[in-house]
């Protein structure tokens, strides 16, 4: 191989290796399972769909700690801070249904379900209730 090409080939291969490391940094079984899980269900006409059941429900604090804290601890992009009654007053005054709808479907800078796409609606409501409790 030409000595001139060898450093370029090494640089290209190293750069490719670094970029894939950044993309798939978390190689735990849980993280891999999350990345490759199905995004939908297929139902054949005439058959009875299988009901999906969840066996465990996470607490509002667990959901908050994992998905909500990064924005709601600091008030990032206007997010109401956990336990701050003044931040939550206007939102709470709209009623529980509106508050839940905005958290579940997303509203303004708030992404749908706060990016917790495997959270049930009840878990999202539990996280909201945890956030509006006074500190």
């Amino acid at each position: 191989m030409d000595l001139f090409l060898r450093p370029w080939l090494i640089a290209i291969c190293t750069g490719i290796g670094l970029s894939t490391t950044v993309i798939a940094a978390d190689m735990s079984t849980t993280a891999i399972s999350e990345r490759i899980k199905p995004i939908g269900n297929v139902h054949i006409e005439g058959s009875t769909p299988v009901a999906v059941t969840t066996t465990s429900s996470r607490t509002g604090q667990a959901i908050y700690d994992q998905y909500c804290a990064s924005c709601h601890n600091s008030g990032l992009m206007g997010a109401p801070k956990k336990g701050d009654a003044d931040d939550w007053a206007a939102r709470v005054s709209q009623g529980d249904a509106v508050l839940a709808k905005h958290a579940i479907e997303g509203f303004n800078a708030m992404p749908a379900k706060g990016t917790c796409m495997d959270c049930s609606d009840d878990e999202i409501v539990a996280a909201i209730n945890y956030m509006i409790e006074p500190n």
Side-chain angles (χ1 to χ4, degrees), residues 10-134:
I10 291 170
I12 290 169
C13 292
T14 304
I16 291 170
L18 289 175
S19 67
T20 57
T21 302
V22 172
I23 292 170
D26 189 354
M27 297 302 291
S28 67
T29 304
T30 304
I32 292 170
S33 296
E34 183 64 27
R35 287 193 299 269
I36 65 171
K37 73 179 180 181
I39 59 170
N41 296 311
V42 175
H43 298 287
I44 300 171
E45 186 176 347
S47 69
T48 305
V50 178
V52 177
T53 58
T54 322
T55 56
S56 66
S57 180
R58 296 167 284 190
T59 66
Q61 181 177 356
I63 299 298
Y64 173 82
D65 289 344
Q66 186 171 0
Y67 296 98
C68 311
S70 58
C71 294
H72 289 278
N73 273 344
S74 64
L76 182 67
M77 295 178 60
K81 291 184 267 285
K82 183 198 172 312
D84 188 324
D86 291 336
D87 280 0
W88 284 98
R91 291 164 177 89
V92 171
S93 70
Q94 295 177 16
D96 292 343
V98 172
L99 194 57
K101 181 181 189 310
H102 288 171
I104 293 165
E105 295 176 4
F107 186 76
N108 293 333
M110 169 74 182
K113 292 189 173 188
T115 71
C116 181
M117 299 319 290
D118 68 335
C119 286
S120 69
D121 291 356
D122 290 337
E123 289 174 324
I124 296 297
V125 170
I128 293 168
N129 290 332
Y130 178 74
M131 281 188 273
I132 62 177
E133 291 174 2

